[in-house]
Amino acid sequence: MGNALSRKLAVILHADVVSSTRLVHLDETLAHERIRDTFQRFSDTIRLYNGVAHEVRGDALVAEFHMASDAVNASLAFQIANAAYVSELADDVRPILRVGISIGEVVVADNTVTGDGVVLAQRLEQLAEPGGVVIHGAAYETVPKRLPFDYEDLGDLALKGFDGLVRAFAVKLRPGTTIPQPDSQSQGDRRAPDLSDKPTIAVLPFTNMSGDPEQEYFADGISEDIITGLSRFHWFFVIARNSSFSYKNSSVDLAQVARELGVQYVLEGSVRKSGTRVRIGAQLIDAKTGRHVWAERYDRNLNDIFALQDEISEAITTTVAPAFISAEARRAERKGPENLDAWDCAMRGNWHLSRRGKDDLAEARRYFEKALQLDQRNTTALSGLAFALCWVNIFGWEDDLDAVRTRAYDAAKQAVSYDDSDAWAHAILGWVRFTRHELDAAVAECLRALELNPSLALAESILSISYSWRGGQR
């Protein structure tokens, strides 16, 4: 890296040796030799999976990756190999690692990495079992679900040094499967780094234009609530607060912000107060083209500041998510057929699905099926396919409607089984259950969807219809 200082968003791996002090007390010289050898072997594995082992700090190692999937592959591959290695040792000086993987902002200088991303990876590593791997919720969102991993949701955690709660997952190799082989391309030959198979969005701190310091908390609160709300949608990856708020109180160039954070979309806004009235403006921008995807202005009375904050945050969240998907569908529509990946196919499918015509539903199904050929665990495609088939069933546009209903049910069930935290998938399964006249089950799925994402209008709609048909009380 030379002497240059670089600030960027990165996937960071932090590993340390479990009970290293105990190993040193057993045999100091042997412990140091084996710890050094352990980190050397891990560094070799990291390089195989296109990572960079930046430094070893005593009994800890820090590495950087372009993609979270590479970091997880490298970690699990090493942990499995190291378990076999230490099991053959004749004594108790057995270096076993814990690994944490985060996505966050870091500063790189003189081959040293510092910043929130490193601290977060270290906090996550401390949650791992000996020989285990724990990943940041943001990293979990970016790892393709087709990879053979099982996840244990550790919940939203309060971690030292971080203001908000942090979602974490323990990850293991699925029994009976093998770790994917490293990408054969060298790092120099790889495409520009992408943190996700999904598009990414950064919500910048809303600007307080009132000249009233008390409104600073209101503006920050709206920004933070929007980040939280958008994070509940699984269609895109949302940059964490700690990274996006680093641009607070600074005049920013959106194209530069997008490059530094590695995002395609930026949401920015402002708050202006006059007497008892407040005006909130917000706009979603495609950073690659500079085009406004969506913009809105809200004028409200400033009576209950917390209720107003909730109202505006939810209004923006529920509007931005569909606008985001529409923009992605239009972008995918402009791509040549030979360049479509699973995400692009799913977005094209969603575009046709939104039109509801017979031919469009047929095209939607074709694109969703193509997405599943590329990634059989793509929950967006599975849910979209189930939704499209429900409409085919409702309109009676195929002879064998039993087969249509069965395929819809299977696709919706698969989506939920692959990602139980996907609110959209639960809502679609609720719709499928409704079309099968399984009203209690439909209600249960919609309630689960709203538990995961209270802003999901589709779940509210299906829930209302299900209650109406069931004739029971909510």
Side-chain angles (χ1 to χ4, degrees):
M1 294 290 177
N3 294 319
L5 184 148
S6 171
R7 184 184 298 273
K8 59 183 178 180
L9 190 71
V11 178
I12 295 295
L13 178 155
H14 191 282
D16 83 346
V17 178
V18 179
S19 302
S20 58
T21 303
R22 182 183 65 83
L23 299 182
V24 170
H25 285 162
L26 289 173
D27 188 324
E28 183 174 358
T29 301
L30 183 60
H32 285 304
E33 288 177 357
R34 286 189 177 164
I35 290 173
R36 185 170 61 249
D37 172 70
T38 298
F39 285 139
Q40 182 59 58
R41 288 185 288 112
F42 197 5
S43 297
D44 292 342
T45 303
I46 287 168
R47 282 191 291 273
L48 281 175
Y49 282 92
N50 303 296
V52 178
H54 278 290
E55 56 186 312
V56 174
R57 304 170 174 175
D59 62 350
L61 176 147
V62 179
E64 175 191 355
F65 291 83
H66 291 318
M67 296 190 298
S69 56
D70 282 342
V72 175
N73 281 328
S75 299
L76 293 178
F78 175 78
Q79 294 288 44
I80 292 168
N82 194 52
Y85 174 81
V86 299
S87 69
E88 298 295 325
L89 297 176
D91 52 62
D92 291 331
V93 184
R94 303 182 177 194
I96 297 174
L97 300 187
R98 297 179 301 191
V99 177
I101 297 169
S102 73
I103 292 180
E105 186 179 90
V106 296
V107 176
V108 182
D110 297 324
N111 203 40
T112 298
V113 185
T114 57
D116 286 343
V118 177
V119 177
L120 179 54
Q122 183 179 19
R123 297 285 184 264
L124 294 170
E125 163 256 297
Q126 293 165 355
L127 300 173
E129 298 176 351
V133 179
V134 169
I135 66 174
H136 185 192
Y140 165 82
E141 292 289 345
T142 72
V143 177
K145 297 304 180 281
R146 67 179 180 274
L147 295 180
F149 305 143
D150 286 333
Y151 300 91
E152 178 188 354
D153 189 347
L154 303 181
D156 295 317
L157 308 172
L159 301 181
K160 182 180 179 182
F162 294 88
D163 295 335
L165 297 177
V166 176
R167 192 72 173 271
F169 294 82
V171 56
K172 295 181 180 179
L173 181 66
R174 187 174 301 124
T177 63
T178 58
I179 300 291
Q181 292 298 307
D183 190 330
S184 60
Q185 291 179 296
S186 67
Q187 282 189 337
D189 295 333
R190 291 170 69 102
R191 60 184 172 84
D194 281 332
L195 286 176
S196 175
D197 286 349
K198 305 174 184 178
T200 51
I201 181 172
V203 180
L204 297 183
F206 276 37
T207 304
N208 174 22
M209 302 180 68
S210 305
D212 181 358
E214 290 186 5
Q215 298 308 309
E216 198 74 24
Y217 300 104
F218 178 65
D220 286 353
I222 287 179
S223 306
E224 291 169 353
D225 285 351
I226 292 172
I227 290 172
T228 301
L230 290 177
S231 296
R232 295 191 176 106
F233 291 89
H234 283 215
W235 300 322
F236 40 74
F237 170 59
V238 185
I239 296 299
R241 176 199 183 281
N242 286 348
S243 295
S244 59
F245 266 62
S246 64
Y247 295 93
K248 184 175 171 61
N249 296 326
S250 61
S251 178
V252 297
D253 175 75
L254 293 185
Q256 180 182 349
V257 170
R259 285 194 302 272
E260 291 177 353
L261 293 180
V263 302
Q264 288 84 33
Y265 296 88
V266 176
L267 178 69
E268 64 173 1
S270 62
V271 175
R272 187 190 303 272
K273 176 178 175 288
S274 177
T276 60
R277 299 281 293 174
V278 64
R279 171 171 292 176
I280 299 103
Q283 54 185 354
L284 179 66
I285 298 168
D286 182 337
K288 290 184 178 179
T289 64
R291 185 176 64 86
H292 283 67
V293 175
W294 165 88
E296 189 58 85
R297 188 180 73 190
Y298 304 88
D299 291 308
R300 297 290 190 275
N301 283 314
L302 194 59
N303 298 323
D304 185 334
I305 190 169
F306 294 111
L308 178 59
Q309 180 178 310
D310 289 343
E311 177 195 347
I312 297 300
S313 300
E314 182 170 357
I316 293 175
T317 297
T318 54
T319 308
V320 164
F324 184 99
I325 290 301
S326 295
E328 278 296 290
R330 289 192 296 271
R331 182 194 58 76
E333 194 67 23
R334 293 192 294 270
K335 278 185 133 181
E338 69 281 359
N339 296 321
L340 296 179
D341 57 20
W343 172 259
D344 293 327
C345 288
M347 289 301 98
R348 278 204 180 189
N350 276 334
W351 184 82
H352 285 288
L353 178 60
S354 68
R355 296 165 68 89
R356 295 286 194 277
K358 184 175 182 179
D359 291 341
D360 277 301
L361 286 176
E363 279 294 279
R365 291 167 62 184
R366 185 173 72 84
Y367 277 116
F368 290 137
E369 294 284 12
K370 185 176 180 181
L372 294 171
Q373 290 174 7
L374 297 170
D375 178 6
Q376 64 181 355
R377 298 172 69 89
N378 188 308
T379 57
T380 301
L382 285 166
S383 296
L385 177 61
F387 205 15
L389 289 168
C390 282
W391 287 109
V392 171
N393 175 59
I394 289 170
F395 293 128
W397 281 338
E398 282 200 10
D399 294 333
D400 191 352
L401 293 180
D402 286 339
V404 169
R405 286 189 289 268
T406 298
R407 178 65 176 128
Y409 179 73
D410 290 344
K413 284 287 287 184
Q414 276 187 303
V416 169
S417 69
Y418 289 150
D419 190 353
D420 186 58
S421 63
D422 188 336
W424 182 261
H426 279 284
I428 298 300
L429 180 55
W431 182 235
V432 172
R433 294 280 204 182
F434 174 81
T435 63
R436 292 160 59 96
H437 305 292
E438 299 170 354
L439 300 181
D440 287 342
V443 167
E445 291 297 338
C446 292
L447 290 175
R448 171 64 175 153
L450 291 170
E451 177 187 342
L452 293 166
N453 185 356
S455 301
L456 191 57
L458 177 66
E460 283 282 10
S461 299
I462 299 170
L463 181 62
S464 298
I465 296 171
S466 299
Y467 276 134
S468 176
W469 278 65
R470 193 180 69 168
Q473 296 298 312
R474 182 164 184 161

